[in-house]
Amino acid sequence: MARPRVVQPLLLISAAIMAVSGTGGSLARFAYIRQEPEWPPEIAGSVHDASWPDFLEFMTRNNITWLARSGGHGYSPTLRTIQNAVMVNMENFRYASINSDLSVSIGSGATFQDMIDAVGGAGRELRATGASLGGGVGRLQGKYGITSDSIRRVRMALWNGTIVEASDDINQDLFWGVRGAGQNFGIVIETTFETYPASDGGMHYNVDMTFSGESLETVIDTINSLIPDMDPALAIITLFTIDADSLEAIVALGLVYAGSEVGGRRYAQLFAPFSRTFNESLIPWVDLPSQSAGGGVAANCQTGLRHNMYSLASRDLPTSTYREIYDSFSELIVAYPGLNRSIVLIETFGQEGVSALPNDYSAFPHRGEIHNLVVLEMVYTDDTVADVADDFAHGWRDVLAQPENSGYDRLVVYQNYGHDDEPLSALYGYDEWRHERLSSLKRSYDPKGHFNGYHAIPIDSADWS
Ligand SMILES: Cc1cc2nc3c(=O)[nH]c(=O)nc-3n(C[C@H](O)[C@H](O)[C@H](O)COP(=O)(O)OP(=O)(O)OC[C@H]3O[C@@H](n4cnc5c(N)ncnc54)[C@H](O)[C@@H]3O)c2cc1C
C-alpha cells in the first residue's frame, strides 16, 4: 500500500505567510510565501479589480507562481505542487447582493452565509465560490441541482490579466468548464447565482439520531430502501464516529427534509424505532449548517488538525461491506485513540435536480452517479498515526471502489473530494469527448499552466489517465 499522502491544506500554506497587507473593500490581498526584495510596490499589497492586468502581467513576466485562495478549505494533496508561490487571497472580495431579477452576485470571498443572508435565508461557512468550482454538492441538489447548476454568470481574471465574463451568452466554452473544473482556468472574481423561492416559510425539518453498532445493518438497509427515486427534498448524512462520552464507535445520522414537517417525519419514523437518541426540530434555513448533523460540519472547519481524506461515489451501500468497515473503524480507534476525530461519512442526497439536466450540461461529469458520496476522513494531530490512518482510508476506499461494492465498473470521485491518487478520469469523467473538451479549454485559457494546483487538466488530451 502506498505511503501516506498527508493533505496539505491551504491553511498550512497560510502558516508560512511572511507578509499580508490589504485595506478591505473589493481588493485581493497578496500573501507572500516568497518575498523578493526587488518586487515593486504595486504588488506589495493589494489590487483592485482594475489592476488585475498589471498584477498578473507582472507575475507572469517574472515567472512567479501564484495560487488563488477563497475559503482555504481545499483538501487536495495536489496543492503540494504549488511551492514558493504568492497566495492571492480573495477574502476581501466578500460581498453578496441581490439583483433585480432576484439572482444573487457574490464576490469569491463570500461564504454561503453571506450569500444566503443576502437572499433572505441563511447558511454558514465555506466560501461559496470554491465549492461551486468543483460542482458543489449539497442537501438541496435533489430540488435544484448541484450548486454550479444555478450559476448564471462568472467574472474572471485570466492568467494574463484579461478580465472576461462567461455565461450562456458569452465565452460559453469557458462557462461550461468553470462549472466542475473551475480551479483550472483563471481566478473567479464574481459569480451570479439564480435563486429560488423558499418553501415552507424557509423552515426545514431536521432530525439528528444516533444508533449503537448493532443497528448498523438496519440503518443501511433503510437508507438503501430510500435511494431509488429518492424524494428530492430529502438529505441524509450518516457518520461512523466516536461517541464523546463512551469513546466507542457509534452511528450518527442527520436527516433534513426541505419540505413539510409531516413529509420529513414520514422518513424519520423509519429510523426512529431502533435509534438510541432522536432529536427532531424545525430549523430555519439560516441555522441549518450550524445546527443540523449535530453541528458537525462547522466543527470540521476547526484549524490545526491533519486531514487525510479518500472518497468515492457509490450507487450501492452493501450492508455486509459497511459492517466490515464499521468493525474495522472501531478497532482502529481502540488501537489508535489519536485518530478518534476521524469519521466515515456517507452523504445521501436527492438526485432528481442533478439528473434533470443533460449529461453534457457542464464539466461536472457525475449526473446519475452520486447517489452516495462516501468519505473516509482521517483526522489527527500527532503524525505518528499518519501511516496507519492512510492505510485504513486508502485500503477501504479501494475495497469500496470494487464494482460489487460501488455498483460502478470504474472509480467515480467528486472532484472536490479527490485525493490525487485517482485517475483524472475518475474526477472529470471517462468520456473521451470530455477529455478533449477540457484539454482544449486548458490550451485556450491556461496555456502555460498557471492554474495547475488542483487536479490539473492536461494540455494534451493524450495525457489523460
Ligand atoms: C468542512 C468541509 C465541508 C465541506 N462540505 C462540502 C459540501 O457540502 N459540498 C461540496 O461540494 N463541497 C464541500 N466541501 C469541499 C469543498 O467544496 C472544497 O474543499 C473546496 O475546494 C473549498 O473551497 P474553498 O473556497 O475553501 O477553496 P480553497 O481552499 O480556497 O481553494 C481550493 C482550490 O480552488 C482554487 N480557488 C480558490 N478560489 C478560487 C477562485 N476564486 N478562482 C479560481 N480558483 C480558486 C484554489 O486555487 C485551490 O486550487 C467541504 C469541505 C470541508 C473542509
Side-chain angles (χ1 to χ4, degrees), residues 425 429-439 461 464:
S425 302
Y430 289 91
D431 298 324
E432 266 178 39
W433 67 264
R434 283 190 182 276
H435 302 168
E436 278 158 22
R437 192 165 179 181
L438 286 167
S439 290
S461 44
W464 279 82

Side-chain angles (χ1 to χ4, degrees), residues 10 67-68 70-75 130-131 133 136-137 183 186 188 414 416 454:
L10 286 177
L67 182 78
S70 284
H73 280 62
Y75 268 92
L133 297 177
V137 299
Q183 303 91 346
V188 174
Y414 168 43
N416 269 332
Y454 213 74

Side-chain angles (χ1 to χ4, degrees), residues 18 63 89 94 122 200 260 278 299 330 358 383 393 405 411 413 415 449:
M18 285 154 50
N63 220 7
N89 187 344
R94 186 172 180 177
D200 295 274
S260 69
F278 183 93
S330 306
D383 284 344
N405 285 322
L411 180 64
V413 179
Q415 193 253 40

Side-chain angles (χ1 to χ4, degrees), residues 10 67-75 79 90 108 126-133 135-138 147 182-184 186-189 297 300-301 347 349 414 416-417 451 453-454:
L10 286 177
L67 182 78
R69 176 197 193 272
S70 284
H73 280 62
Y75 268 92
L79 288 167
M90 302 299 287
S108 63
L126 270 194
R127 305 293 150 126
T129 300
S132 306
L133 297 177
V137 299
T147 316
Q183 303 91 346
N184 273 278
I187 298 177
V188 174
I189 301 168
V297 174
N300 222 353
C301 297
E347 295 178 331
F349 299 149
Y414 168 43
N416 269 332
Y417 293 175
F451 299 98
Y454 213 74

Side-chain angles (χ1 to χ4, degrees), residues 35 49 77 87 92 95 174 274 303 371 377 382 392 433 440:
Q35 180 105 51
D49 249 14
M87 183 166 73
N92 284 338
Y95 59 87
L174 180 60
F274 44 96
T303 59
H371 299 87
E377 184 176 354
D382 177 356
F392 177 88
W433 67 264
S440 162

